[in-house]
Amino acid sequence: RNGLLARGSLRFSPTWLGSDATWQSFEAELKTYHKVGSERNMLAFWGFTWLTMGQPPYLDLPAIGWDYNNRSGRGYAQGRIRARDLVYGEAEYRVTLSRDGLLGAVAFVNLTSASDGATGVSQTPDPGGGVGIRLKLNKNSNTNIGIDFGVGAEGSNGVFFGTGEAF
């Protein structure tokens, strides 16, 4: 509800363990949560980078929605943005609408920058954003059901369901 979370992961996929080619991937993420005004409002930030080295198979390349919790890129279909290297950032404003905490709402914006397949240079970021509602399932664990509507570039959009917050 308030604070900082950092996580990192380094994966090795050598041929001697059955991979068709030797390759590695590195993931790092940082999430911060800040109360705004009262206990009922929060501003949250999430950033992560996912890099690959070697020759990863296509379906193992970093992609939107394939992060650790499968929640990145609201506004885009899972896997729509895919590249050898991916950098992602999101900001979300959360507010409780009812006194008992049963209903809440969020507004979010995100940016995804993927590397160019030929040059490896990061491309212009793809923007996304949207709004959502929250229905509290359990006050003790702070568990919600979330329904978000997100839009992205070039007419991309969708409805995204989940339990808990996106991050």
Side-chain angles (χ1 to χ4, degrees):
R1 296 179 192 198
N2 193 24
L4 172 80
L5 172 76
R7 183 189 70 81
S9 172
L10 181 60
R11 297 183 206 164
F12 296 94
S13 299
T15 54
W16 60 270
L17 281 178
S19 184
D20 291 338
T22 297
W23 63 282
Q24 302 82 38
S25 72
F26 171 74
E27 294 176 56
E29 71 178 322
L30 180 67
K31 301 174 183 180
T32 64
Y33 306 91
H34 310 275
K35 292 178 186 167
V36 178
S38 72
E39 286 276 328
R40 302 168 70 84
N41 303 330
M42 178 182 298
L43 189 56
F45 298 96
W46 176 28
F48 79 84
T49 186
W50 188 358
L51 311 172
T52 63
M53 288 102 7
Q55 297 299 319
Y58 180 76
L59 291 178
D60 285 327
L61 288 172
I64 282 300
W66 287 22
D67 56 278
Y68 187 71
N69 291 317
N70 304 104
R71 299 300 290 265
S72 64
R74 288 177 287 176
Y76 294 94
Q78 185 179 35
R80 178 168 178 177
I81 302 171
R82 179 186 311 271
R84 291 184 59 86
D85 301 318
L86 193 76
V87 177
Y88 181 81
E90 184 166 345
E92 183 175 81
Y93 183 70
R94 303 172 184 167
V95 62
T96 303
L97 299 175
S98 62
R99 287 183 191 250
D100 61 2
L102 181 65
L103 293 173
V106 300
F108 58 90
V109 293
N110 59 53
L111 288 173
T112 306
S113 182
S115 63
D116 181 84
T119 65
V121 176
S122 289
Q123 299 178 39
T124 303
D126 292 300
V131 295
I133 58 170
R134 300 292 182 265
L135 178 65
K136 184 76 67 187
L137 288 179
N138 186 317
K139 286 184 182 181
N140 294 328
S141 66
N142 204 30
T143 303
N144 298 319
I145 292 178
I147 303 170
D148 300 331
F149 177 73
V151 296
E154 300 176 9
S156 180
N157 63 67
V159 177
F160 302 85
F161 299 93
T163 56
E165 295 296 346
F167 62 95

